[in-house]
Amino acid sequence: MSRLNYFRSGEGLALAAAVLFALLVLVYPLSLLARVGITQDGMLSLAPLLEALGSRSVLRAFFHSLESAFLSSILSLIAGTGIALVMGLTDIRWKGVFTFLLLIPMMVPPHVTAIAWIQAMGPSSPILRSLGMAPELGATHPLYSKGGLVFLLGVQHTPLVFLVVLAALRSLPREMSDAARIAGARSMGLLRRIILPLLAPTLIAAYALAFVSALGNFGIQALLGIPARYITLPVLIWQRLASFGPSVLTDVAVIASLLAVLAVTVILVQTLLLRRTRNTLIGPPQPPLQIRLRRLRIWTEGALAGLVFATLVLPVSALLATALVRTYGLPLNAETITLDNFTEVLFRQAVTARAFLNSSLSAGVAAVVISVGCIFVARFMASRRGATRRTGMGIATLAEMTYAIPGLVISIAFILAFLKPLPVLNIALYNTLGIIFLAYLCAFFSVGLKPVSAAFVQLDPALEEAARIAGGGYMFRMRRIFVPLIAPAAASGAILVFLTAYNEVTVSALLWSSGNETIGTAIYNYEDGGYTTLAAAMASVTIVATVALMVALDRLGKNAPRGVVPWRI
């Protein structure tokens, strides 16, 4: 097919539109950030970064970011791998229920997690006070420390590791495990000599994912780090820009570049380590091992139930209890219980009504745009034309890189790109909901692409061949074959994007303005301003909405291919 016919068929135009989208949303803002952070006099240089590290506050925040990400990722790796091994290799019951419940904390935004744990463990905890177990009033909150911050980051990202390792366990061939068991290897020997070596690349990838996630986490680092005076790079960026405004944009852009370089370096190191530790496996994936725990099974199930209680039920109960009392610090009983806080945030406060509307609008439109874009990009990735396939893979790689870059860094890049009105059009996006929407497209495109590309891989190429032979053009094939078959996966991806963007605070923390509040920024501002009961009420509503969306996604994913819904592995 000639190039002219290729464009006339519609595929070339679609590819050009995808490339233009990638250049404008994924490349242009981050290239401006790179120009500020890693160039000097038009040449590539680390001088701006080294100059920034000359500041004691930046150097201290850099060290704190490295330290907290390193330690919390170890905690996440140990806990997440242990849970995945139990869930993936043993004969415990109710695996689906446990998996769903263990993954809920991952879908709850970090600042809501931090607020819930602060209220669960503090001297004013309604639950602990009702049980007479609360620390003495005036005592230092146990989570306002380096250890508390590292612990909570570890808890927040344990489900990520669990999900990655569980997926790898389900795809391992069983020949070596079966041979080892026939040769008399016991469970621990099988784990140490066969399974863990085979999982080495996955463990490296899971650790890198937890590290990068912890590095860019803003909610937990701000809510626990500021009271503990343990300032990390994302918090330092937020403090400087929130205090001094766009006049310090160049300075914070350099600090943001430092954070981006650190995240990209981790990804590159991970890639090199993966190449060195790659194991060649023979044989297709088979049903996972079912090691019989016998009398230990009931104890293992009890331990998992205890874990769900500690990481989900306890903090959420504390959050709800705080939302149900008149004043923060009162014990929850028949005299103090009230629904006034829910009435206030849902019906009286104009700020929260705007926040719910703004978040629903920006996250909803971003989810729809991303799901439609992902159908075309995933189709390009599966194309038989080399140039088209490479272009699709390039866009997917760009999306993966922007997903790894912390949300606060992306927000700085978008401020650099859209601080001034758009040329020719003379439209200002800064201080509008539009800039948050565009930042969502950049930050969460990869989230929507994963389930769609997983579904495309499982389509039979004969379908397209038959349509092509019958004379069906590109748009006809997309409309009548691919879109109907991929629609469930695209819908799942859209819900995942909406879940992620709906109540996030990392991307919008620096982009919101009066009248353009989001749910995440409203909750954070309530908590930061001392309106703890209102913050708890609003956070409780978002958790209910999150669980409802997860249930909807679970129902939608019942008939979808494997990998479309994260917890249906």
Side-chain angles (χ1 to χ4, degrees):
M1 183 185 293
S2 68
R3 290 184 179 179
L4 182 59
N5 288 336
Y6 180 64
F7 273 93
R8 281 179 176 174
S9 69
E11 186 172 4
L13 285 175
L15 184 64
V19 170
L20 184 63
F21 165 82
L23 290 175
L24 289 178
V25 176
L26 304 179
V27 176
Y28 173 61
L30 290 168
S31 65
L32 291 179
L33 183 71
R35 191 179 68 179
V36 174
I38 55 175
T39 63
Q40 193 171 52
D41 299 328
M43 303 292 290
L44 193 64
S45 171
L46 294 178
L49 298 182
L50 296 175
E51 187 178 340
L53 284 173
S55 164
R56 290 181 60 185
S57 60
V58 175
L59 186 61
R60 191 184 307 116
F62 179 77
F63 175 74
H64 287 168
S65 287
L66 273 180
E67 183 183 44
S68 59
F70 175 76
L71 295 176
S72 66
S73 301
I74 291 177
L75 179 62
S76 300
L77 184 66
I78 294 172
T81 303
I83 299 168
L85 291 174
V86 170
M87 297 289 289
L89 299 179
T90 68
D91 62 342
I92 64 162
R93 296 165 290 184
W94 311 302
K95 288 183 178 179
V97 175
F98 277 128
T99 302
F100 184 82
L101 294 175
L102 287 168
L103 289 180
I104 289 178
M106 182 180 74
M107 307 309 289
V108 173
H111 58 290
V112 172
T113 301
I115 293 172
W117 278 86
I118 288 170
Q119 291 161 14
M121 304 296 292
S124 299
S125 166
I127 291 181
L128 295 185
R129 283 174 65 83
S130 301
L131 298 174
M133 298 172 60
E136 293 184 7
L137 289 174
T140 303
H141 196 295
L143 290 179
Y144 290 156
S145 62
K146 180 180 76 177
L149 188 146
V150 168
F151 167 74
L152 207 51
L153 284 175
V155 170
Q156 178 75 22
H157 300 127
T158 291
L160 273 178
V161 176
F162 163 60
L163 204 58
V164 172
V165 177
L166 185 62
L169 283 173
R170 296 290 170 86
S171 62
L172 285 180
R174 286 183 50 176
E175 282 79 0
M176 283 185 284
S177 302
D178 289 340
R181 297 182 78 184
I182 292 171
R186 295 187 176 182
S187 299
M188 290 307 296
L190 181 67
L191 180 66
R192 191 176 67 253
R193 302 291 297 274
I194 304 293
I195 295 174
L196 287 180
L198 289 176
L199 284 179
T202 301
L203 297 180
I204 292 171
Y207 181 83
L209 186 60
F211 187 96
V212 170
S213 300
L215 197 65
N217 189 301
F218 172 73
I220 292 175
Q221 295 183 11
L223 288 169
L224 300 187
I226 292 175
R229 298 184 179 180
Y230 188 80
I231 305 301
T232 55
L233 283 176
V235 178
L236 184 67
I237 292 169
W238 176 80
Q239 285 181 326
R240 291 196 175 180
L241 202 57
S243 300
F244 303 105
S247 62
V248 294
L249 187 57
T250 304
D251 292 337
V252 296
V254 175
I255 303 174
S257 301
L258 190 61
L259 199 56
V261 168
L262 191 56
V264 172
T265 303
V266 171
I267 298 299
L268 293 177
V269 171
Q270 171 216 339
T271 305
L272 290 175
L273 288 175
L274 286 180
R275 287 179 181 174
R276 292 192 173 191
T277 57
R278 178 180 297 169
N279 295 305
T280 303
L281 302 177
I282 301 173
Q286 295 177 9
L289 288 176
Q290 289 284 322
I291 297 175
R292 295 172 65 85
L293 294 179
R294 303 181 189 280
R295 285 179 298 178
L296 288 177
R297 187 170 76 169
I298 187 68
W299 294 103
T300 306
E301 290 167 350
L304 283 174
L307 185 67
V308 170
F309 178 82
T311 58
L312 178 64
V313 178
L314 179 63
V316 171
S317 299
L319 191 71
L320 188 60
T322 301
L324 288 172
V325 296
R326 289 193 301 273
T327 305
Y328 182 52
L330 291 178
L332 180 65
N333 53 46
E335 296 178 355
T336 60
I337 192 167
T338 177
L339 292 176
D340 282 353
N341 295 314
F342 288 98
T343 306
E344 189 73 21
V345 298
L346 289 176
F347 303 110
R348 294 177 188 159
Q349 290 283 330
V351 171
T352 53
R354 279 201 308 270
F356 278 115
L357 179 63
N358 290 338
S359 286
S360 301
L361 191 61
S362 54
V365 176
V368 171
V369 171
I370 286 175
S371 63
V372 173
C374 287
I375 292 176
F376 285 93
V377 173
R379 174 69 192 89
F380 297 142
M381 292 168 67
S383 173
R384 292 191 307 173
R385 292 176 66 95
T388 303
R389 185 174 61 254
R390 286 192 294 273
T391 305
M393 296 295 292
I395 295 173
T397 303
L398 282 173
E400 291 284 351
M401 295 297 288
T402 56
Y403 183 66
I405 292 173
L408 216 64
V409 176
I410 288 177
S411 65
I412 294 290
F414 272 76
I415 292 174
L416 285 171
F418 299 108
L419 183 62
K420 297 178 180 177
L422 296 176
V424 182
L425 299 175
N426 197 30
I427 297 174
L429 288 176
Y430 185 62
N431 279 340
T432 68
L433 206 57
I435 193 171
I436 297 177
F437 160 72
L438 290 176
Y440 284 170
L441 295 184
C442 177
F444 304 129
F445 193 86
S446 176
V447 176
L449 184 58
K450 288 182 186 300
V452 180
S453 57
F456 252 110
V457 169
Q458 301 186 39
L459 289 184
D460 188 348
L463 290 171
E464 184 179 15
E465 284 300 319
R468 194 192 296 271
I469 292 171
Y474 173 75
M475 292 309 295
F476 177 84
R477 298 196 301 273
M478 289 296 292
R479 189 174 67 254
R480 299 297 297 273
I481 297 177
F482 293 122
V483 172
L485 291 173
I486 297 299
S492 298
I495 294 177
L496 275 177
V497 171
F498 188 81
L499 269 172
T500 310
Y502 183 61
N503 44 22
E504 65 77 36
V505 72
T506 307
V507 175
S508 58
L510 296 176
L511 297 177
W512 76 279
S513 57
S514 179
N516 297 305
E517 303 89 349
T518 62
I519 292 175
T521 58
I523 293 174
Y524 182 84
N525 290 338
Y526 275 138
E527 179 68 16
D528 193 45
Y531 301 100
T532 304
T533 53
L534 296 183
M538 197 164 176
S540 300
V541 173
T542 64
I543 289 178
V544 172
T546 300
V547 173
L549 284 169
M550 287 181 68
V551 171
L553 181 58
D554 190 70
R555 296 289 179 268
L556 188 67
K558 273 188 175 179
N559 300 318
R562 174 187 285 189
V564 169
V565 178
W567 50 87
R568 283 188 173 273
I569 298 172

